[in-house]
Amino acid sequence: MRMVDLIEKKRDGYELTKEEIIFIIENYTNKIIPDYQMSSLLMAIYFKGMTTEESSALTEAMLNSGDVIDLSVVHGIKVDKHSTGGVGDKTTLVLGPLVASCGAKVAKLSGRGLGHTGGTLDKLESIEGLSIDIEIEDFVKQVNEIGIAVAGQTANLTPADKLLYALRDVTATVPSIPLIASSIMSKKLASGSDVIVLDVKIGEGAFMKTIEDARKLSKVMVGIGNSFGKKVVAFITDMSQPLGYAVGNKLEVLEAINTLKGDGPEDLTELCNEIGAYMVYAGGIVSTLEEAKKLVDEKVTSGAALDKQLEFIKAQGGILGDLDDFIHVKEIIEVKAEADGYISDIDALTIGVAAMKLGAGRETKEDEIDPDVGIVLNKKVGDKVSKGDTLAILYNNKDDIESIIKEVIGAFIITNEVVKKKSIIFEIITE
Ligand code: URA
């Protein structure tokens, strides 16, 4: 087999066979196929797409390029959730303990954030003492004992994806549905859960900009998961504005805790309750979705979901202490509205980048995160404002942040017309 022939085949719109895809991934991972040929193939895939069979074969080849976590020693059905990334997305911090308190098993491998979207690990590590470096035996033991563990990806999972993702990043081939689908699903399948719930975000701050593309991506991912015998469902959700109010590591931990107390933002609460119910139902804890919704509700009201969160934090070495004394910054700055009206848009990307510039995220992998800083919105899309009202609060430790303040003000669009609030969930794709 010659790589040049396979590039030509895809360039001309023909379907690659499973053997050909295995040949490509094995030889690229082993550094036999050079980057220039792989780049050319990626661009051909970007333009010509892939069939479901090709996408599944690509996923399988990437999955087999590294270790696969064996969760068979965890008792019960393992549930996992993946978000395509967003600003203020702290759903894992809420959903993990919520569904574990309902009896589902959550064995979650998470990543760090890069750029304007924060990573679950950075948020968890903002809690004093909390460690995400857990050996696989301890990870499994903790899941069996308390129903939940969250760890960093230390194992050699999907090395082909790491290489390919870096190449896609510099060859303008990231936004290709089969490439995104196989990248996400290979990692999810390598993590070993039985049920996978995908949260596919749409909006300026997200990979998918339209509902049509989000639907296509969801269907491909659900199809791939099903071909591996996994239960997969995709929620298509709004990321046109940040999720909840808080953006920044400790700020998001606090918001997650409030949500588990039943006192969270409306959009985050709705999203976590709906996805949580689905995880509990698909995880076989109850036999209908209605019962799952009731159970999720009960666990929040009774305080069991919050207790599970505290148990989980303690099990991983975290010390929460007095929450009123959790965040320490040099200054707190209120950003005010410059006009009367209704908020029609809060640009998630701008808020995410502004929070990153304050130090809540990383521009490059080497950057250090400041866990205390960030932005808390005071208004959301649809809210009425008067000139001088606080739009957002900046938690800051830096010296000159005039330009960041301007960016945050610019992220809020205020109009004269009444703006209807959008639902957070647009569609649920099950097949
Ligand atoms: N997230 C991933 O893990 N891979 C992609 O290709 C895009 C988003």
Side-chain angles (χ1 to χ4, degrees):
M1 234 182 267
R2 291 192 324 153
M3 182 64 173
V4 64
D5 299 329
L6 303 180
I7 298 171
E8 190 178 306
K9 192 173 175 188
K10 184 44 66 186
R11 181 201 67 193
D12 294 344
Y14 294 104
E15 187 171 347
L16 297 171
T17 65
K18 186 170 175 176
E19 289 67 36
E20 288 166 342
I21 290 173
I22 293 172
F23 168 85
I24 293 165
I25 295 301
E26 280 186 0
N27 286 294
Y28 181 61
T29 314
N30 294 330
K31 310 237 178 327
I32 294 164
I33 292 175
D35 278 350
Y36 58 82
Q37 283 193 313
M38 197 64 204
S39 306
S40 179
L41 180 75
L42 290 172
M43 194 54 90
I45 294 173
Y46 177 87
F47 281 112
K48 298 293 177 179
M50 282 185 136
T51 61
T52 311
E53 288 72 27
E54 284 178 300
S55 301
S56 289
L58 180 58
T59 307
E60 187 172 352
M62 297 212 290
L63 170 69
N64 291 335
S65 70
D67 300 338
V68 176
I69 307 270
D70 179 11
L71 290 180
S72 57
V73 276
V74 172
H75 316 304
I77 298 180
K78 281 74 70 179
V79 297
D80 195 1
K81 161 257 153 200
H82 176 83
S83 155
T84 56
V87 177
D89 188 356
K90 69 283 288 174
T91 45
T92 295
L93 304 184
V94 181
L95 274 173
L98 179 58
V99 302
S101 73
C102 294
K105 291 284 166 31
V106 182
K108 186 140 184 60
L109 297 175
S110 275
R112 295 191 185 283
L114 186 62
H116 68 280
T117 60
T120 299
L121 296 185
D122 300 315
K123 293 169 201 183
L124 285 172
E125 280 183 334
S126 74
I127 300 170
E128 192 193 330
L130 194 143
S131 169
I132 47 78
D133 293 323
I134 319 175
E135 291 299 323
I136 188 76
E137 302 80 57
D138 296 331
F139 177 77
V140 167
K141 187 164 170 265
Q142 187 178 315
V143 180
N144 272 331
E145 279 172 11
I146 69 167
I148 174 170
V150 181
Q153 290 169 10
T154 46
N156 181 32
L157 301 187
T158 60
D161 177 60
K162 288 191 189 85
L163 292 171
L164 276 178
Y165 196 87
L167 189 62
R168 285 166 59 206
D169 213 16
V170 292
T171 54
T173 49
V174 169
S176 150
I177 287 178
L179 295 178
I180 296 176
S182 51
S183 163
I184 292 176
M185 290 309 292
S186 62
K187 282 179 290 214
K188 287 289 105 182
L189 293 166
S191 305
S193 284
D194 309 299
V195 172
I196 301 163
V197 179
L198 302 162
D199 181 3
V200 179
K201 308 275 188 204
I202 331 178
E204 269 318 301
F207 280 107
M208 295 292 116
K209 310 285 180 217
T210 66
I211 183 93
E212 290 76 21
D213 279 349
R215 204 178 280 141
K216 273 192 219 153
L217 175 65
S218 301
K219 282 183 186 289
V220 175
M221 291 196 290
V222 170
I224 293 173
N226 291 343
S227 74
F228 282 85
K230 307 285 178 181
K231 261 193 207 167
V232 185
V233 62
F235 283 68
I236 300 179
T237 71
D238 187 27
M239 191 28 77
S240 60
Q241 62 176 333
L243 182 60
Y245 290 99
V247 183
N249 298 286
K250 283 191 180 180
L251 294 166
E252 293 190 42
V253 168
L254 274 186
E255 190 164 86
I257 290 173
N258 287 336
T259 306
L260 286 166
K261 282 181 184 161
D263 196 17
E266 214 176 296
D267 55 353
L268 179 64
T269 302
E270 182 187 338
L271 186 62
C272 291
N273 286 354
E274 292 292 320
I275 294 185
Y278 213 93
M279 288 168 89
V280 168
Y281 163 62
I285 306 293
V286 287
S287 47
T288 67
L289 194 54
E290 284 319 303
E291 284 173 75
K293 286 186 182 176
K294 253 173 78 191
L295 187 61
V296 160
D297 224 41
E298 262 169 44
K299 296 295 175 189
V300 172
T301 315
S302 68
L306 179 65
D307 287 347
K308 186 55 74 182
Q309 169 81 310
L310 302 178
E311 190 182 9
F312 153 65
I313 290 172
K314 196 165 161 214
Q316 296 203 200
I319 304 157
L320 263 183
D322 178 5
L323 289 180
D324 291 333
D325 194 33
F326 185 51
I327 295 178
H328 298 107
V329 285
K330 199 170 72 175
E331 59 180 351
I332 290 178
I333 301 167
E334 295 193 7
V335 171
K336 309 276 187 189
E338 293 174 343
D340 297 335
Y342 296 87
I343 311 273
S344 66
D345 189 24
I346 306 172
D347 190 301
L349 183 59
T350 304
I351 297 289
V353 171
M356 180 189 77
K357 288 182 182 167
L358 288 174
R362 293 184 189 84
E363 219 152 344
T364 68
K365 272 195 240 161
E366 290 71 35
D367 285 349
E368 285 260 328
I369 279 191
D370 182 340
D372 294 76
V373 300
I375 300 173
V376 177
L377 308 181
N378 194 44
K379 300 284 177 192
K380 296 275 289 191
V381 170
D383 285 349
K384 190 168 189 271
V385 287
S386 303
K387 192 173 169 184
D389 280 356
T390 301
L391 294 176
I393 302 167
L394 273 51
Y395 287 71
N396 176 46
N397 277 329
K398 293 225 154 131
D399 282 335
D400 178 15
I401 61 156
E402 262 327 292
S403 61
I404 301 178
I405 295 175
K406 282 211 182 79
E407 284 167 24
V408 172
I409 294 179
F412 285 81
I413 309 297
I414 300 175
T415 58
N416 292 325
E417 293 83 45
V418 175
V419 177
K420 240 180 90 188
K421 289 200 184 234
K422 273 197 252 180
S423 166
I424 182 81
I425 298 169
F426 295 137
E427 264 177 46
I428 301 173
I429 308 279
T430 53
E431 58 187 28

